[in-house]
């Protein structure tokens, strides 16, 4: 039987934020969002990045018109206006 020590779960799994917690934090303060967290949220809602190169990642959205979400890594932080764009895309996705 492969048992995991209780301290391991507390130390290594309890502190990992879920996508829901990250989105809630993004809504509270779009100014202070880590790029890795925004990338995780985008992958959850839009699938893998269509293009990654340098500091940008582009995610495809399922609706016509402007069918992409573009995020940029700025020294480990996400740009606030891009966080707001991702939140608007998530709201649109959940409304359909």
């Amino acid at each position: 039987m492969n048992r995991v020590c209780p301290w391991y779960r507390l130390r290594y799994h309890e502190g990992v934020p879920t996508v829901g917690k990250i989105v809630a934090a993004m809504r509270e303060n779009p100014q202070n969002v880590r790029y890795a967290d925004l990338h995780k949220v985008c992958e959850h809602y839009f699938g893998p990045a269509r293009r990654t190169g340098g500091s940008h990642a582009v995610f495809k959205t399922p609706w016509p018109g402007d069918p992409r979400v573009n995020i940029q890594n700025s020294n480990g932080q996400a740009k606030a206006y891009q966080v707001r764009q991702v939140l608007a895309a998530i709201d649109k996705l959940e409304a359909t």
Side-chain angles (χ1 to χ4, degrees), residues 15-66:
V16 177
T18 63
V19 171
K21 288 181 180 179
I22 295 170
V23 171
M26 287 168 45
R27 290 188 192 283
E28 289 286 321
N29 185 8
Q31 301 282 336
N32 191 21
V33 177
R34 290 179 38 223
Y35 175 79
D37 289 343
L38 184 61
H39 197 276
K40 181 178 181 179
V41 167
C42 287
E43 282 187 334
H44 175 80
Y45 282 100
F46 308 116
R50 193 173 66 173
R51 190 182 123 234
T52 57
S55 62
H56 287 78
V58 179
F59 294 90
K60 187 176 183 330
T61 57
W63 52 81
D66 191 13

Side-chain angles (χ1 to χ4, degrees), residues 64-87:
D66 191 13
R68 60 188 155 78
V69 172
N70 180 27
I71 63 172
Q72 182 178 3
N73 186 352
S74 179
N75 297 322
Q77 292 296 111
K79 303 260 183 180
Y81 76 93
Q82 291 173 341
V83 172
R84 288 190 288 272
Q85 288 174 349
V86 168
L87 289 172

